[in-house]
């Protein structure tokens, strides 16, 4: 019955798009029928959005923004009655990898791109002023001009302090030693923060290889983040990371450590900084942990109120891992070991049936999951049946 319902919903959405999208929606419905979830949870197609990456739900809960790999940013109405149709946001603006949208509490939209950050003010009649964005960080001023596009997808969050936090990845698997001074100067391989107008920019955290998942713990306002670790060291090392940064100035160990306590070959002869902070949780090696969110709602049972993480899936492992959503329980401010929550996109071989990128919470307490391989968003909800 659930497969039939999803199939009809997908056909309904397809009718509002061109015929190729209708065919694709049917393909997605077949994939969703394979997804395994804990008892009482269900998954359904929420929207189609090309190369769907990171997600941001507007403070009023009425609109979901979807970053992408290309030059377009998308939005969908948060209508839970039927799958939504993605629309291009600010069609006159040529974005460059607008992977990471995020919101301030007043509804100001920030878009973190490869080498700049834009903001769109709320419009007086509703929505946003799509034709007059302001550059918080102008083009060419976020990273050095000669930087390659490796690890070039940015994410952002506005913190409880009102400042804008942006994760900026290292552009290498392991950076050459002669580049480290430059990267440290720009805050690459770290998390930078600034005022919402771009002033008072500083490096909040260092020693990070490539974080593309940030969120603040609603219990205490502390920043947590995922970190993708070094490739080509073996199938089972180094681990991916979930980290906690309660204050500015912390160093999380990269490139001396390739993930967890595993030393990199390139920096094995160097003494690491004395104050390296190791991860709160070590996650499956090469699973590519990307977007994350603390669950704040009440729809899910109490045992599922913690951190949800989208694992994009490995590309350099003998047997692929990841391509799923995992859950990290939180008890008394401490994180436990991760467990599988939504899986089935990984059949044990590549290509995957889908590749989750990010997770976000809707006002009713359900989750949405983005999938850049399928170009789709899914809604996961709980009804106990």
């Amino acid at each position: 019955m659930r497969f039939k319902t999803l199939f009809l919903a997908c056909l309904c959405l397809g009718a509002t798009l061109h015929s190729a999208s209708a065919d694709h929606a049917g393909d997605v419905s077949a994939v969703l029928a394979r997804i395994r979830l804990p008892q009482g949870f269900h998954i359904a197609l929420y929207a189609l959005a090309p190369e769907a990456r990171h997600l941001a739900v507007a403070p009023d809960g009425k609109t979901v923004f979807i970053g992408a790999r290309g030059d377009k940013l998308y939005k969908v109405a948060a209508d839970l009655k039927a799958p939504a149709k993605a629309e291009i946001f600010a069609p006159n603006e040529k974005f460059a990898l607008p992977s990471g949208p995020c919101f301030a509490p007043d509804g100001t939209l920030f878009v973190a791109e490869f080498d700049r950050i834009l903001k769109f003010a709320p419009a007086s009649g509703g929505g946003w002023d799509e034709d007059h964005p302001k550059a918080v960080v102008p083009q060419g001023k976020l990273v050095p001009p000669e930087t390659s596009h490796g690890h070039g997808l940015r994410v952002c969050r506005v913190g409880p302090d009102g400042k804008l936090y942006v994760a900026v990845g290292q552009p290498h698997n392991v950076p050459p030693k002669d580049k480290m001074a430059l990267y440290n100067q720009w805050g690459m391989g770290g998390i930078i923060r600034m005022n919402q107008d771009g002033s008072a920019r500083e490096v909040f955290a260092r020693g990070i290889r490539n974080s593309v998942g940030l969120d603040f713990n609603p219990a205490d306002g502390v920043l947590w983040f995922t970190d993708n670790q070094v490739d080509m060291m073996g199938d089972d090392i180094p681990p991916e990371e979930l980290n906690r940064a309660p204050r500015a100035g912390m160093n999380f160990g990269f490139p001396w450590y390739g993930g967890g306590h595993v030393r990199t070959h390139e920096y094995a002869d160097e003494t690491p900084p004395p104050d390296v902070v190791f991860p709160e949780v070590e996650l499956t090696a090469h699973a590519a942990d990307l977007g994350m969110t603390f669950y704040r709602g009440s729809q899910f049972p109490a045992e599922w109120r913690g951190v949800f993480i989208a694992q994009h899936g490995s590309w350099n492992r003998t047997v692929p891992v990841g391509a799923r959503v995992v859950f990290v329980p939180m008890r008394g401010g401490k994180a436990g070991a991760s467990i599988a929550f939504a899986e089935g996109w990984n059949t044990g071989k590549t290509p995957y049936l889908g590749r989750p990128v990010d997770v976000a919470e809707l006002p009713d307490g359900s989750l949405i999951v983005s999938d850049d391989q399928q170009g789709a968003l899914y809604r996961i909800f709980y009804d106990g049946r």
Side-chain angles (χ1 to χ4, degrees), residues 15-381:
T16 68
L17 304 173
H18 52 76
S19 59
S21 293
D23 293 340
H24 180 52
D27 293 339
V28 172
S29 71
V31 170
L32 292 180
R34 303 173 60 112
I35 303 306
R36 301 182 299 278
L37 289 156
Q39 179 65 36
F41 288 90
H42 310 276
I43 189 168
L45 180 65
Y46 185 79
L48 295 180
E51 298 184 316
R53 293 287 298 183
H54 286 81
L55 304 166
V57 180
D60 65 5
K62 295 180 179 179
T63 310
V64 179
F65 279 78
I66 308 119
R69 282 184 177 273
D71 60 1
K72 293 179 175 61
L73 183 70
Y74 297 92
K75 65 177 181 179
V76 294
D79 180 2
L80 302 181
K81 297 180 181 179
K85 176 183 176 181
E87 299 177 356
I88 296 173
F89 177 79
N92 295 324
E93 186 68 39
K94 188 172 180 62
F95 296 101
L97 302 180
S99 175
C102 64
F103 279 99
D106 68 354
T108 298
L109 170 67
F110 295 90
V111 181
E113 301 178 67
F114 169 69
D115 63 351
R116 72 172 177 174
I117 302 171
L118 294 182
K119 71 175 179 179
F120 294 82
S124 58
W128 293 265
D129 184 353
E130 300 186 27
D131 295 320
H132 302 94
K134 293 184 179 180
V136 175
V137 178
Q139 188 170 9
K141 300 297 184 180
L142 184 60
V143 295
E146 67 272 19
T147 301
S148 74
H149 281 66
H151 298 158
L153 299 175
R154 318 297 182 207
V155 293
C156 64
R157 285 286 191 276
V158 174
D161 57 3
K163 291 183 179 289
L164 179 65
Y165 290 72
V166 183
V168 184
Q170 289 265 12
H172 303 275
N173 184 34
V174 179
K177 296 177 182 179
D178 63 357
K179 292 285 189 180
M180 283 300 295
L182 176 66
Y183 295 158
N184 286 334
Q185 176 186 347
W186 285 76
M188 300 187 71
I191 296 170
I192 60 175
R193 72 175 174 181
M194 64 195 76
N195 293 330
Q196 293 185 29
D197 61 3
S199 64
R201 173 173 168 171
E202 63 178 330
V203 180
F204 178 77
R206 299 184 185 275
I208 301 165
R209 181 174 177 269
N210 183 37
S211 174
V212 277
L214 310 173
D215 199 13
F216 290 88
N217 186 342
D220 58 12
V222 170
L223 177 66
W224 291 61
F225 62 93
T226 59
D227 197 5
N228 284 222
Q229 296 303 334
V230 175
D231 298 319
M232 314 310 294
M233 293 189 73
D235 275 2
D236 299 312
I237 60 169
E240 307 280 54
E241 296 182 355
L242 177 63
N243 292 287
R244 179 177 179 270
R247 63 185 182 277
M250 298 174 72
N251 189 317
F252 291 87
F254 183 76
W256 298 273
Y257 295 90
H261 290 74
V262 179
R263 294 295 301 271
T264 59
H265 303 307
E266 294 85 348
Y267 287 76
D269 60 345
E270 293 203 0
T271 301
D275 56 350
V276 165
V277 179
F278 293 101
E280 292 288 314
V281 181
E282 293 188 357
L283 300 161
T284 305
H286 311 302
D289 294 85
L290 303 186
M292 60 163 286
T293 190
F294 279 88
Y295 186 77
R296 295 165 168 83
S298 59
Q299 183 185 117
F300 291 6
E303 62 267 28
W304 294 103
R305 296 177 194 173
V307 178
F308 289 91
I309 302 173
Q311 292 186 334
H312 200 225
S314 60
W315 61 269
N316 63 337
R317 198 177 183 281
T318 304
V319 177
V321 293
R324 61 182 181 172
V325 177
V326 299
F327 174 76
V328 176
M330 299 288 293
R331 299 290 183 269
K334 296 292 185 180
S338 66
I339 59 176
F341 176 68
E343 55 185 346
W345 292 282
N346 182 353
T347 63
K349 58 184 179 180
T350 55
Y352 299 108
L353 298 178
R355 303 194 73 182
V357 175
D358 199 10
V359 283
E361 187 178 332
L362 290 171
D364 72 335
S366 60
L367 290 182
I368 45 175
V369 179
S370 60
D371 177 342
D372 64 350
Q373 177 174 300
Q374 292 287 359
L377 272 61
Y378 315 122
R379 176 176 173 250
I380 296 177
F381 61 96

